[in-house]
């Protein structure tokens, strides 16, 4: 979703964009609002490993939107808290405003035994996190970029985008301390058009990386990399969307320049990217959502593409309600996850599908009832982390869970 064209209030951010909902009753005692039993979406038979939830030291209403794992005793989860006054008050702050005070930054650290909250400069919502080592963790937030050096979080400032009225930092990927990539888009408040961008950190400063001509109205929604010469970005081209529909943008950086790849033909006129994920040079995934109604009055349908080293193909995700937020592989399975939010129905729940090599099947979700999975991260020692939130606008709580094979 282009935040520049959809100026959502705080209540809308909480109830729609962040897709948190009330947890269902369970026969198991809840831990931080999450049942310890395995839940499956929509009463379907689930597949794959079971999830283990963890107690969290967060007392405020909050949501977790990103997670990364460096080792079995070193992982980070990021997001934001929602002050009570924000929940109870009118929708005053818009999603296209850099309001660090409205939704304060939140960072949690895993030491192998428990999760703890770590002080972080308040740059508003933290939207993405990536790490290349214990002393090189990066996070993209509404009002800037954060870096962890092993001791403290500090702020870095990306390059301003001239001629625009604001920006959204959609993704970040740390390859090394001298090689970090940042994706996002800025917008024109007069026309409502988006302008996607990519920036690179060379160890000293952020610099804009020139993109090929991609249209007059487009965003870059995600970035990931397998190495210095293997960087992928993905987004959506809105140019001509009223006549021809939206088009996916997929580009690869080989260390010297960008090459744009054609996206496979997709029947949906709305095509939005949530995540590009590099597993190997011949194993890259894109997850998101699509709709068939050009005005958005349709269910969100899961969208998953795959790169096999030669071409991008549509994996033909199930024809059902599903808004994917992330996709990841832990070496044993590929999991796509999000929720079932739809503009046509204000009830939704966590959603997960597992790749069999030939198609997608239902998978267990880490939070029962109505909830949302915001991000996934494979752990170097096996298994996968999932983060998100459960609870409605007045009871929203973050969750963190991990698979146990």
């Amino acid at each position: 979703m282009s935040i520049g064209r959809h100026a959502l209030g705080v209540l809308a951010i909480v109830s729609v964009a962040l897709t948190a909902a009330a947890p269902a009753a369970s026969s198991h005692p809840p831990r931080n609002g999450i049942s310890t039993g395995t839940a499956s979406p929509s009463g379907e038979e689930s597949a794959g490993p079971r999830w283990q939830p963890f107690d969290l030291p967060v007392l405020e209403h909050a949501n977790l939107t990103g997670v990364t794992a460096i080792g079995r005793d070193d992982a980070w989860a990021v997001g934001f808290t929602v002050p009570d006054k924000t929940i109870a008050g009118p929708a005053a702050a818009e999603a296209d405003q850099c309001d660090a005070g409205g939704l304060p930054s939140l960072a949690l650290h895993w030491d192998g035994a428990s999760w703890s909250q770590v002080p972080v400069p308040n740059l508003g919502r933290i939207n993405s996190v990536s790490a290349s080592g214990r002393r090189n963790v990066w996070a993209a937030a509404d009002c800037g970029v954060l870096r962890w050096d092993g001791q403290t979080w500090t702020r870095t400032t990306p390059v301003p985008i001239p001629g625009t009225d604001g920006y959204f930092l959609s993704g970040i990927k740390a390859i090394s301390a001298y090689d970090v990539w940042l994706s996002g888009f800025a917008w024109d408040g007069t026309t409502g058009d988006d302008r996607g961008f990519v920036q690179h950190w060379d160890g000293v400063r952020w610099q804009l990386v020139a993109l090929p001509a991609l249209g007059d109205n487009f965003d870059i929604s995600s970035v990931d990399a397998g190495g210095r010469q293997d960087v992928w970005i993905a987004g959506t081209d809105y140019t001509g969307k009223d006549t021809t529909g939206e088009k996916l943008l997929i580009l690869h950086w080989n260390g010297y320049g960008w090459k744009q790849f054609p996206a496979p033909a997709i029947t949906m006129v709305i095509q939005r990217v949530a995540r590009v994920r590099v597993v190997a040079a011949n194993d890259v995934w894109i997850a998101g959502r699509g709709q068939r109604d050009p005005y958005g009055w349709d269910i969100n349908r899961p969208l998953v593409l795959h790169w096999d080293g030669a071409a991008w193909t549509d994996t033909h995700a199930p024809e059902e309600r599903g808004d994917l937020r992330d996709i990841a592989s832990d070496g044993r399975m590929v999991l796509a996850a999000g929720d079932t939010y739809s503009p046509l129905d204000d009830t939704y729940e966590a959603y997960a599908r597992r790749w069999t090599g030939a198609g997608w099947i239902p998978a267990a979700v880490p939070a029962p009832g109505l909830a949302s999975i915001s991000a996934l991260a494979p752990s170097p020692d096996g298994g996968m982390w999932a983060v998100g939130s459960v609870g409605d606008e007045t009871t929203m709580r973050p969750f963190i869970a991990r698979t146990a094979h």
Side-chain angles (χ1 to χ4, degrees), residues 85-104:
K85 63 180 180 180
T86 300
I87 296 177
E94 295 182 342
D96 61 357
Q97 295 175 345
C98 188
D99 180 12
L103 298 170

Side-chain angles (χ1 to χ4, degrees), residues 19 325-326 337-339 350-352 365-366 371-376 386-389 399:
T19 55
R325 308 291 293 278
D326 205 347
D339 58 48
Y351 176 86
V365 296
S372 178
I373 304 168
S374 296
L376 303 169
V387 302
S389 63
F399 76 80

Side-chain angles (χ1 to χ4, degrees), residues 74-116:
D74 193 1
W76 289 89
V78 298
F80 56 89
T81 60
V82 183
D84 289 339
K85 63 180 180 180
T86 300
I87 296 177
E94 295 182 342
D96 61 357
Q97 295 175 345
C98 188
D99 180 12
L103 298 170
S105 303
L106 175 65
L108 304 178
H109 182 253
W110 170 256
D111 63 3
S114 62
W115 286 92
S116 60

